[in-house]
Amino acid sequence: MTKLRLEITKGEEIRYISHLDYARTIERALRRTKMPLAYSEGFNPHMKLSFASALSVGVTSMAEYMEVELTDQVSTEQLRMALAQQLPPSIVINRVKEVVGKQAALMAVVNIAAYRIVVPWQTVEAPEAAKIALEKFNNSPAVLYIKENPKGRREIDIKNYIAEAVISNPTPEGINLTMLIKITPTGSVKPSEVLKVLTEDFALPVNSKSALIIRLGLYVETDGVRVSPLEMR
Amino acid sequence: MIKLDPSWLDNVTKPSRYTGNEWNMIKKDPATVSVSVALAFPDVYEVGMSNLGLKILYNILNRINDVVAERVYAPWVDMEAVMRQNDVPLYTLENMRPLTEFDVVGFTLQHEMSYTNIINMLDLAKIPLLASARDEHHALVIAGGPCAFNAEPLADFVDFFVLGDGEETIGEIANAVRTWKKSGKIGGKNAILEQVAAIEGVYVPSFYEVSYRDDDGCVAAVKVIHPAAKAVVTKRIVRDLDTAEYPTKPVVPYMDVVHDRVVLELFRGCTRGCRFCQAGILYRPVRERRPETLLKLARQIVDSTGYDEISLTSLSSADYSCLHHLVTDLIQEFKNQGISVSLPSLRIDSFSIKLAEEVQQVRKSGLTFAPEAGTQRLRDVINKGVTEKNLEDAVGAAFQAGWSSVKLYFMIGLPTETDEDIRGIADLAYKVLNLYKNIKGRRGAKVTVSVSSFVPKPHTAFQWYGQNSSAELERKQQLLKSLLKDKNISFNWHDVEISYLEGVFARGDRRLGQVLLEAWRQGARFDSWSEHFKYDVWMNAFKKMNVDPEFYNLRNRDINELMPWDHLSSGVDKKFLQREYQAALAESFTEDCRRGKCSNCGVCSGLGVKIIDWEGKA
Ligand code: SF4
């Protein structure tokens, strides 16, 4: 019995697949490896596989985390080699680590996500206006936003979910925004929503429709110390 | 190559329909091939990805070194709007190549309600819609699949059709195109059409001229107007399916599609002889694969895809001669890998139930049976060799085995049908409910009655029969609804207006081409999706083009009438169909030739094939 934790990527070619599709893709790749995978008992057995926080459609990621259980002893290197051959080029394994002892579920412990948004200027290069917009956003004590989903409308304060000031780097083409978003038991905010508010309420002069969003990483923060799920103990 | 802009895809539903890059996708450098073919499915990705025919052709074409096949599906209406707004031409998923860069664009014709999507896809691809407006600089637009057997309504748009099994034909077409291109396309488009017209199973509609009678508007003659054309085009057939190529590395989609699993084709053809069934005629005779071949294929596909389910497919898979043995072997081999086996439609007998039990299908999902008609008399008319006793036995066995919900499929509007037959449907539903009570001693069964409207199809024994009017079909639906009052019976029925239109195009002729074009111009597309079906648009188009739809669907045809598709042959003699029509009226049974006696339909002798069934031989 082995439990392995993997850090993997979701690349450009598959940025439009949903989290469910992504999970299914990994599951099929694992099955193709013919490794001794563990399945749940019962009528409809499921592969014992779990993921950290789900990724939105359209977002690529440099670090996703998942755990897989195997019925036999399998080394991190064995799994990495076998799985790498079965993954589409847009999914790459960064690191693999064995989970020893009892650890909390990935899903439950990850509480910070870092994102980069690469977005072109609305019309012309306007670094001054962007700087002002960002300062205003970062200095606002609260930023209200109406979250809409099929279940209804709900007003949230975006700033409750922003862990640190949003950093902006202007380029001739547009700006790169870096943000740290909190994932809490009661919810979170999407980077696309932060961008929407920045353009609509803070007059950030960018074309949000052509934004590319990249998840840079997922972290577990405890008592001010931030580590990736692979460093967690 | 088209570079996809995030702003196009961020705002459409299911964007991964348009981005490709799936596992097992075959991507070749277009510069290294001599012939490129776009395989087009005139419906959305998740429907098209389940089509076995296209998977087979994709595999065969791509195995030829200097040939490439790429896939393209109909963009959903939101994506179409984005594409038109940003002037993005329709492109294939492998190389994001515009269709105009291909030598051949091949459509599969699975049902008549997809025709406007074909026109729409050509338009999105910026390919001239009319075959007559395209020359050697344009892609050749070709089509195959069951509807090619009455290709006439599409004759204006398609350069040539391919009848029957495509496994062999497709390579021959690629060869002809390669030679023609290497010659510098000498002789222009006409030259390639002449070349392919010589291939068995290829129909070039522009080589034929159709005339109509002044008095009643029926077809007067179909005249061959080109020396390269055959008077009758007969379908191609794979004689030995066991050695035919089968796609062992199918493309594995990211998104959830219809039939997202290993699909094993057990056999082709079905000779049960249901008189309404077109597939039963078009794919004759039955040709089985060997069980050991199927097991090997299953292994290869599981290995290459990572699917966790194997599904057996055929026109009536339960008739496979070695079914039990195959299913047991599959379960045995794959159960430790978390892979399940799923059975398709069940035959109405207790053997099928036993098998369903063995594969342990999820019980909640319920079992489906298709008695098709409500009374023995009408089942005899349609040659559905199933008795009430068969149904009772099968459903009884299912209830005993623990199932409690049953779905029953019927058709209304069948030839000779009376209200008695409609009441028979309700009676059967109640009998099934009561059967559960008798067996289990309590109520608790759920019965779903699903009723579709019968559409007479060309090349069947009922091709002469006038379809029921929409009013009549609605009346029958209402009658049935009033009889199914029990809360444990749910009732589903089909939109009669879609069936009405399907009836027009199924037995249509070339004069419908202009109606198709006009309806498309007025916005018709995705006609098989009821949320997009625009009946008014269609009726306007018929009116504007001065075409009476009821000439095509509601009219009873004379048994000697020249049909618009009589020059397209499935290998089955028209005389056989006429005999079957008489037999239907006489309510007499015609045996399944697979294991019973031959009824001389003409296929085996005419095409030099024979039934391949491993019963007793394996
Ligand atoms: S020719 Fe005879 S055996 Fe062959 S398919 Fe027809 S009925 Fe069956």
Side-chain angles (χ1 to χ4, degrees), chain B residues 150-398:
Chain B
N150 178 23
E152 296 304 88
L154 289 173
D156 292 349
F157 311 100
V158 174
D159 295 309
F160 61 90
F161 295 90
V162 184
L163 305 190
D165 299 335
E167 274 99 338
E168 293 161 8
T169 333
I170 195 72
E172 294 165 24
I173 293 168
N175 287 343
V177 172
R178 181 196 294 112
T179 313
W180 177 61
K181 277 182 80 183
K182 288 215 165 119
S183 77
K185 297 191 178 176
I186 190 164
K189 182 171 163 185
N190 207 51
I192 183 67
L193 292 181
E194 282 172 10
Q195 297 268 321
V196 294
I199 299 174
E200 278 305 318
V202 171
Y203 168 53
V204 182
S206 58
F207 287 176
Y208 301 75
E209 191 180 80
V210 183
S211 55
Y212 304 92
R213 297 209 298 236
D214 288 334
D215 52 347
D216 57 7
C218 294
V219 173
V222 177
K223 204 168 107 205
V224 176
I225 54 167
H226 195 288
K230 303 175 263 295
V232 172
V233 179
T234 305
K235 80 170 178 199
R236 282 295 280 276
I237 192 157
V238 172
R239 286 185 178 72
D240 180 8
L241 209 61
D242 200 60
T243 55
E245 272 193 58
Y246 196 76
T248 50
K249 287 187 175 175
V251 176
V252 183
Y254 289 110
M255 69 179 284
D256 212 359
V257 305
V258 184
H259 306 310
D260 199 5
R261 49 184 97 106
V262 175
V263 174
L264 275 187
E265 186 193 30
L266 307 183
F267 59 88
R268 211 169 283 174
C270 167
T271 40
R272 296 205 143 231
C274 299
R275 294 182 178 119
F276 55 83
C277 176
Q278 189 189 37
I281 297 296
L282 300 185
Y283 297 103
R284 273 173 188 241
V286 168
R287 289 145 292 148
E288 291 190 344
R289 284 196 168 85
R290 288 175 181 275
E292 51 278 18
T293 307
L294 290 163
L295 207 60
K296 195 174 99 206
L297 290 173
R299 248 175 242 140
Q300 290 172 340
I301 304 173
V302 163
D303 286 355
S304 76
T305 61
Y307 276 133
D308 62 355
E309 186 181 344
I310 299 170
S311 159
L312 310 178
T313 174
S314 299
L315 285 170
S316 60
S317 296
D319 286 339
Y320 183 57
S321 59
C322 316
L323 188 63
H324 189 239
H325 159 121
L326 175 69
V327 167
T328 323
D329 285 357
L330 286 171
I331 294 175
Q332 189 58 34
E333 171 145 359
F334 293 108
K335 66 168 184 257
N336 292 332
Q337 302 177 41
I339 297 166
S340 65
V341 177
S342 77
L343 284 178
S345 57
L346 292 177
R347 210 165 56 185
I348 305 181
D349 57 24
S350 30
F351 165 75
S352 288
I353 305 301
K354 220 179 88 210
L355 214 60
E357 250 190 293
E358 275 175 48
V359 306
Q360 295 212 332
Q361 288 183 312
V362 183
R363 296 185 174 203
K364 292 190 299 283
S365 70
L367 292 181
T368 300
F369 299 100
E372 312 287 7
T375 60
Q376 195 57 52
R377 187 199 66 80
L378 193 53
R379 283 194 295 273
D380 291 342
V381 168
I382 61 175
N383 208 45
K384 184 89 196 177
V386 161
T387 63
E388 202 169 303
K389 172 97 174 39
N390 295 147
L391 183 69
E392 272 175 25
D393 288 351
V395 175

Side-chain angles (χ1 to χ4, degrees), chain B residues 84-102:
Chain B
R84 290 194 186 277
Q85 203 175 14
N86 297 287
D87 202 32
V88 184
L90 188 63
Y91 59 87
T92 53
L93 295 178
E94 279 72 8
N95 275 307
M96 309 277 148
R97 271 169 95 194
L99 261 52
T100 42
E101 289 178 19
F102 285 79

Side-chain angles (χ1 to χ4, degrees), chain A residues 83-126:
Chain A
L83 185 56
Q85 279 177 27
Q86 299 299 334
L87 288 170
S90 43
I91 302 175
V92 176
I93 308 168
N94 290 341
R95 299 184 285 171
V96 187
K97 213 182 147 187
E98 184 165 354
V99 180
V100 267
K102 205 156 174 64
Q103 287 205 10
L106 267 181
M107 201 73 171
V109 291
V110 166
N111 53 13
I112 301 261
Y115 291 94
R116 163 141 329 129
I117 303 181
V118 179
V119 59
W121 296 113
Q122 176 74 293
T123 43
V124 289
E125 201 176 330

Side-chain angles (χ1 to χ4, degrees), chain B residues 489-503:
Chain B
I489 301 179
S490 46
F491 178 40
N492 300 327
W493 64 92
H494 283 209
D495 192 337
V496 295
E497 291 176 337
I498 294 183
S499 307
Y500 178 90
L501 198 69
E502 191 187 331

Side-chain angles (χ1 to χ4, degrees), chain A residues 8 17 24-25 30 42 44 64 78 115 157 176 209 215:
Chain A
I8 52 181
I17 73 169
R24 196 171 33 221
T25 301
L30 280 165
N44 232 333
E64 292 298 289
Q78 275 173 320
Y115 291 94
D157 177 2
N176 297 344
K209 281 215 170 80
R215 180 138 89 189

Side-chain angles (χ1 to χ4, degrees), chain B residues 37-44 48-49 51 53-54 57-58 61 69-75 90-92 99 102 104-110 114 117-118 121-122 125 127 140-144:
Chain B
V37 181
L39 295 174
F41 192 94
D43 208 319
V44 281
M49 276 299 282
N51 183 267
L54 285 188
L57 299 182
Y58 184 78
L61 286 170
E70 305 193 8
R71 298 159 301 141
V72 59
Y73 304 91
L90 188 63
Y91 59 87
T92 53
L99 261 52
F102 285 79
V104 177
V105 175
F107 285 95
T108 176
L109 309 174
Q110 296 298 313
S114 65
N117 277 11
I118 294 177
M121 287 172 80
L122 290 176
I127 293 174
L140 288 162
V141 176
I142 75 172

Side-chain angles (χ1 to χ4, degrees), chain B residues 271 284-286 576 593-594 597-605 611:
Chain B
T271 40
R284 273 173 188 241
V286 168
F576 169 77
C593 62
R594 181 180 195 145
K597 76 170 195 296
C598 166
S599 38
N600 280 319
C601 76
V603 162
C604 292
S605 52
I611 292 175

